[in-house]
Amino acid sequence: MQLLRYCVGLDISKDSLQVCLSVIDTNGRVVVKGSTKVANKPAAFAQLEPWVSKHCKTDNLPLRYIMESTGVYHEAIAWYLYQKDQAVCILLPNKAKHYLKSLGYKSKNDKIDAQGLARMGLEQQLTLWKPLSKNIYSLRLLTRQHQRFQEWKTQCRNQQHALDYSAIGDDFITKQNAKLLAVYDQQLEALEKAIQKLIEEDTVLKAQVERLTAIKGLAMLSVAVLIAETNGFEGFANQRQLVSYAGYDVIENQSGNRSGKTRISKKGNSRIRRILHLPAFNAVRFGEPSCQALYERVYQKTNTKMKAYVAVQKKLLLLAYGLWRHQTMYDPMHSIQAKRETLSTSKSDQNDKKIVPTSGTTQDQSTVAELSFG
């Protein structure tokens, strides 16, 4: 019986790391080789490597570390291991949670969670983690701070609106709200300048942002959020993965003769969907060709404006991904010309082969159905 690889599961809290080292053999049997606990402090991370080496009896076997993304508490150990040239995998908490449920564990504690993570790392081929670059990490901090101030400003304005129309007002609170709104406006302006300065100082990032802002509806702040929240679209092998990460993937609810409501999952990065909300309106309003055509098709099919605007949001995301990945300048008419060529080719093929549709769905109807989600 031959051993295949080792995996270290890390269940992370604010103060400690629960560690479990497991190994898998050629028969698929997983064996726990040891468990320990170390402090979640950079000074204590040096204890981890000697402990792992002590329990890895077989040399030259692959070793990887797996953990959940628990706020910011996992970042220090993840960066430490990455700088030590260790293979690191970081999972979303809901993915690890569902896997642990599938194992049938009735109890839950840090030790069990660490064992489950180690087992998951052995049984599945997980994507290795790659940290954000320094500039993109700083950009993410700035854009998230901008979102927080924008939310506080909206909350303050709503509070003042309610106070203005209430039966009894209060001059003191009104003055406080006015001062807070002035502070929020000042800080939002400062954050936008800091974001612009960071982009201007990075020549590569600046060139990419200029490509993306050529799309009508996408401004500098919107593009900055997309770059920061996707790590410069790093780690996405295809469009489907990006759509799922943003929560735009479609969920069906059908069983037998029952056909429920089809909707987007919204199980993804909500900041991406939030920042694309207004750009979708602007893209349609200012006549971005592909977005406007998509909006009209979906609205004609569903008779629901919001569904059409959500389809435009997804379209903007995929346009940005394509321009970033291929590093090409934006051509507003490219997608429409490609679709026209595809339609003309399919129609000519049908005429040559004299194909008669066997169902009630026409070629135009099926094309609209395929393009309704961009």
Side-chain angles (χ1 to χ4, degrees), residues 37-49:
K37 179 179 283 190
V38 298
N40 191 2
K41 297 179 181 179
F45 295 160
Q47 305 172 12
L48 191 57
E49 286 184 289

Side-chain angles (χ1 to χ4, degrees), residues 148-326:
R148 279 191 288 269
F149 273 99
Q150 188 65 55
E151 291 171 350
W152 293 339
K153 177 183 175 182
T154 302
Q155 183 181 4
C156 185
R157 291 177 63 182
N158 291 340
Q159 182 186 7
Q160 185 57 44
H161 176 82
L163 190 62
D164 291 339
Y165 288 89
S166 61
I168 300 175
D170 191 298
D171 293 338
F172 178 75
I173 296 178
T174 298
K175 291 179 180 179
Q176 274 195 330
N177 287 339
K179 291 180 181 179
L180 283 174
L181 288 173
V183 171
Y184 291 149
D185 287 334
Q186 180 183 4
Q187 294 303 316
L188 285 170
E189 184 179 356
L191 283 167
E192 290 173 6
K193 289 181 179 179
I195 292 172
Q196 187 171 6
K197 180 181 178 183
L198 189 150
I199 293 174
E200 291 288 339
E201 291 176 349
D202 189 325
T203 55
V204 176
L205 193 59
K206 179 182 177 182
Q208 292 283 38
V209 170
E210 289 176 351
R211 291 190 183 97
L212 270 58
T213 52
I215 305 172
K216 290 181 181 179
L218 288 181
M220 183 269 295
L221 181 61
S222 304
V223 171
V225 173
L226 291 180
I227 295 171
E229 297 300 329
T230 60
N231 189 17
F233 298 99
E234 188 71 32
F236 298 105
N238 49 53
Q239 294 181 351
R240 185 179 65 256
Q241 292 181 2
L242 176 62
V243 169
S244 177
Y245 176 77
Y248 286 119
D249 49 329
V250 178
I251 292 179
E252 291 185 307
N253 186 11
Q254 184 270 337
S255 178
N257 294 327
R258 178 183 175 278
S259 180
K261 186 176 181 181
T262 300
R263 57 183 180 82
I264 62 172
S265 69
K266 294 187 179 181
K267 293 182 178 179
N269 193 311
S270 61
R271 291 182 174 87
I272 294 177
R273 299 194 303 275
R274 175 186 178 276
I275 203 62
L276 289 176
H277 180 72
L278 290 180
F281 287 95
N282 291 332
V284 175
R285 177 187 176 188
F286 296 119
E288 180 63 41
S290 58
C291 294
Q292 191 174 33
L294 174 62
Y295 172 83
E296 293 173 355
R297 289 198 304 270
V298 178
Y299 179 61
Q300 183 179 8
K301 179 182 177 182
T302 63
N303 200 30
T304 305
K305 288 186 177 181
M306 204 60 236
K307 286 186 178 180
Y309 280 121
V310 169
V312 174
Q313 292 178 34
K314 175 186 170 185
K315 181 71 174 181
L316 289 173
L317 178 64
L318 295 181
L319 282 175
Y321 172 68
L323 294 179
W324 181 282
R325 183 176 181 180
H326 299 292

Side-chain angles (χ1 to χ4, degrees), residues 5-11 18-24 30-35 51 63-68 91 96 99-100 103 105 110-124 126:
R5 57 184 175 273
Y6 289 103
C7 184
V8 178
L10 299 172
D11 186 71
Q18 181 66 48
V19 185
C20 177
L21 173 65
S22 298
V23 65
I24 191 171
V30 176
V31 178
V32 176
K33 305 300 290 185
S35 297
W51 181 87
L63 170 68
R64 63 177 51 185
Y65 294 79
I66 180 171
M67 64 192 75
E68 294 177 289
L91 303 176
Y99 175 79
L100 294 175
L103 298 179
Y105 292 150
D110 293 344
K111 190 173 182 179
I112 291 176
D113 289 345
Q115 290 181 7
L117 288 172
R119 187 183 188 94
M120 186 177 183
L122 292 171
E123 293 180 347
Q124 299 186 10
L126 302 174

